[in-house]
């Protein structure tokens, strides 16, 4: 069994999501051969050298899962593209390039975060290209931590503001881009996140049936794709509420 998740946006301000993730890796993921995290694992990441105690605790939880025998693969998202090899080494996970083709259930499957498919959002694509440039990354990683924090807050606020103002079709994937990319990589299954619109889309590429599986973001509930002998299953699950302490009888 293999699990794929995306868009958890882990942050201290959402302990419910953190608990749900820790429950997943203490339960289902322990029985999995591999766990794939397809980007935006953290809400923000300003560098491996600037991990907060919260982020270190997540790193340790991943290491424990890795040590238990589950392989962990991590892909950059648009929120955490500065995750580096130091974090991955400490967490016991492998950093996957975006896009990547992997073998799942005996077929080649294309994995992506999904933001590069949103080509109609031209301003975002230009910014993405600039931020992922190796020279830009080098400069960013060598800025003072306080400057990186300020820049991350600025970029996050601008992203939220611009997303609210853009039409829905602009911030979703470009329909024509999907079959083109799938043909380029020779696959009939694509799995990605980013758009926060979970669904399984049936496609036709040439004379062959294909599918695009979109993972949902973790907000009101969690989402995962489970790959096993039953095939590819996209499903949601509710967060377990935090246990309430019983009040003593007065």
């Amino acid at each position: 069994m293999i699990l794929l998740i995306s868009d958890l946006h882990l942050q201290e301000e959402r302990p419910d999501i953190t608990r749900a993730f820790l429950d997943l890796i203490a339960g289902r993921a322990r029985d999995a051969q591999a766990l794939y995290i397809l980007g935006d694992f953290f809400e923000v990441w300003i560098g491996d050298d600037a991990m907060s105690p919260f982020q270190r605790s997540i790193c340790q939880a991943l290491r424990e899962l890795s040590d238990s025998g589950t392989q962990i693969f991590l892909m950059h998202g648009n929120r955490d593209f500065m995750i580096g090899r130091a974090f991955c080494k400490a967490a016991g996970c492998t950093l996957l390039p975006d896009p990547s083709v992997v073998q799942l259930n005996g077929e080649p499957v294309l994995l992506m975060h999904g933001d590069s498919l949103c080509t109609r959002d031209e301003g975002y694509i230009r910014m993405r290209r600039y931020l992922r440039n190796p020279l830009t990354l080098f400069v960013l990683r060598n800025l003072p931590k306080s400057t990186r924090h300020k820049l991350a807050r600025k970029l996050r606020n601008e992203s939220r503001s611009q997303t609210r103002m853009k039409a829905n079709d602009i911030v979703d994937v470009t329909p024509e881009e999907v079959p083109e990319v799938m043909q380029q990589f020779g696959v009939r299954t694509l799995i990605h996140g980013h758009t926060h619109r979970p669904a399984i889309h049936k496609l036709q590429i040439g004379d062959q049936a294909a599918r695009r599986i979109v993972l949902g973001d973790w907000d009101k509930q969690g989402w995962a794709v489970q790959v096993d002998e039953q095939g590819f299953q996209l499903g949601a699950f509710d967060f377990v509420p935090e246990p309430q302490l019983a009040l003593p009888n007065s």
Side-chain angles (χ1 to χ4, degrees):
M1 184 255 287
I2 291 170
L3 291 174
L4 301 99
I5 58 177
S6 181
D7 297 275
L8 281 71
H9 297 272
L10 291 175
Q11 54 187 307
E12 288 187 78
E13 292 78 9
R14 290 296 305 269
D16 55 333
I17 298 176
T18 302
R19 284 197 305 273
F21 172 66
L22 295 177
D23 286 345
L24 179 80
I25 64 174
R28 288 171 70 191
R30 291 289 173 121
D31 298 324
Q33 174 187 342
L35 171 68
Y36 289 85
I37 306 171
L38 302 185
D40 283 1
F41 183 46
F42 290 99
E43 171 67 3
V44 65
W45 191 270
I46 65 168
D48 293 1
D49 63 330
M51 276 195 284
S52 66
F54 168 74
Q55 291 168 336
R56 290 186 184 279
S57 70
I58 299 299
C59 178
Q60 179 59 34
L62 287 175
R63 165 56 72 176
E64 291 172 3
L65 176 63
S66 174
D67 288 346
S68 76
T70 300
Q71 292 181 289
I72 306 172
F73 299 93
L74 178 65
M75 183 176 285
H76 286 145
N78 52 293
R79 300 279 188 177
D80 53 13
F81 62 89
M82 287 181 64
I83 288 177
R85 300 192 181 280
F87 170 81
C88 290
K89 182 178 180 181
C93 62
T94 300
L95 191 61
L96 280 182
D98 180 8
S100 285
V101 176
V102 301
Q103 290 289 324
L104 300 178
N105 265 15
E107 71 164 293
V109 176
L110 180 61
L111 305 181
M112 306 177 72
H113 176 57
D115 56 333
S116 63
L117 295 169
C118 304
T119 57
R120 286 175 298 198
D121 192 348
E122 296 177 359
Y124 171 76
I125 293 297
R126 284 195 300 270
M127 177 62 71
R128 184 186 192 276
R129 191 177 299 120
Y130 170 74
L131 290 174
R132 304 299 180 91
N133 184 286
L135 180 58
T136 303
L137 288 171
F138 175 81
V139 172
L140 288 173
R141 289 189 172 115
N142 284 279
L143 290 173
K145 294 176 186 178
S146 59
T147 303
R148 281 182 265 162
H149 275 295
K150 291 177 183 177
L151 182 59
R153 282 195 297 270
K154 180 176 183 293
L155 290 173
R156 188 165 34 157
N157 291 336
E158 288 180 355
S159 173
R160 289 171 176 170
S161 176
Q162 292 173 7
T163 298
R164 285 193 294 267
M165 295 172 61
K166 292 173 181 175
N168 285 337
D169 62 331
I170 296 296
V171 295
D172 200 357
V173 303
T174 303
E176 299 79 16
E177 186 75 10
V178 172
E180 186 174 318
V181 170
M182 294 178 71
Q183 281 186 311
Q184 176 187 344
F185 286 92
V187 300
R188 294 295 173 264
T189 299
L190 163 64
I191 303 176
H192 71 82
H194 179 66
T195 63
H196 300 186
R197 301 177 185 188
I200 298 179
H201 301 273
K202 294 182 180 180
L203 308 171
Q204 192 75 20
I205 299 180
D207 59 352
Q208 291 187 302
R211 58 190 166 183
R212 174 171 68 98
I213 304 175
V214 186
L215 282 157
D217 64 313
W218 290 34
D219 185 15
K220 304 300 183 185
Q221 56 189 354
W223 288 89
V225 169
Q226 181 169 315
V227 184
D228 54 27
E229 63 275 3
Q230 304 300 318
F232 292 71
Q233 304 160 67
L234 171 67
F237 53 91
D238 294 328
F239 296 160
V240 177
E242 183 177 14
Q244 299 295 314
L245 294 175
L247 295 176
N249 294 326
S250 56

